[in-house]
Amino acid sequence: MSNWYVYMIRCVNKTLYTGITSNVDRRFAEHQSSGPRAARYLKGKGPLQLVFSTETEDRASALRLEQTIKKLSKAQKERLVQRPETMQEVIEKIPLAKIADALAKKTKDK
């Protein structure tokens, strides 16, 4: 099973876009190119800056974490970007303890 990632991109207007992928470098390049595979939201909002990414164990975990991050306030997202170690606080907001344990283990392993 391949690993999945949750990432955040900062747009020129200072907004943060959150997404998931199995390959962060490829996906960021797609967004930067503004091609057909780029997110509509990001088109015309460059230059873009990849400011955060974290690995999860599978797509389902990545989707849950993405939704949790999207529910955070702008200030909470900025804190996560500035201090990735605060990820544990974000993980704890996910109701499934199994996902929290898996992500916490991956964070400790790095």
Side-chain angles (χ1 to χ4, degrees), residues 17-80:
Y17 172 85
T18 305
I20 68 166
T21 186
S22 59
N23 184 322
V24 176
D25 294 332
R26 174 192 48 80
R27 189 67 178 131
F28 184 60
E30 289 171 351
H31 290 314
Q32 283 184 306
S33 73
S34 291
R37 295 192 51 93
R40 250 182 276 185
Y41 177 82
L42 295 175
K43 291 184 180 184
K45 294 198 169 114
L48 305 175
Q49 180 184 16
L50 181 65
V51 294
F52 175 84
S53 70
T54 189
E55 186 177 3
T56 65
E57 67 179 19
D58 57 27
R59 187 172 190 266
S61 298
L63 284 168
R64 286 184 193 99
L65 182 57
E66 175 192 29
Q67 289 306 309
T68 301
I69 291 173
K70 285 182 174 185
K71 291 177 184 177
L72 297 176
S73 69
K74 171 77 169 172
Q76 290 170 315
K77 290 176 190 176
E78 290 292 349
R79 182 174 169 208
L80 185 57

Side-chain angles (χ1 to χ4, degrees), residues 5-25:
Y5 300 85
V6 178
Y7 63 91
M8 284 195 279
I9 294 174
R10 186 180 310 282
C11 302
V12 72
N13 64 1
K14 306 290 186 215
T15 59
L16 290 168
Y17 172 85
T18 305
I20 68 166
T21 186
S22 59
N23 184 322
V24 176
D25 294 332

Side-chain angles (χ1 to χ4, degrees), residues 90-105:
V90 174
I91 292 168
E92 289 169 359
K93 293 178 187 246
I94 300 173
L96 301 175
K98 182 179 176 185
I99 295 170
D101 291 343
L103 287 171
K105 182 181 182 295

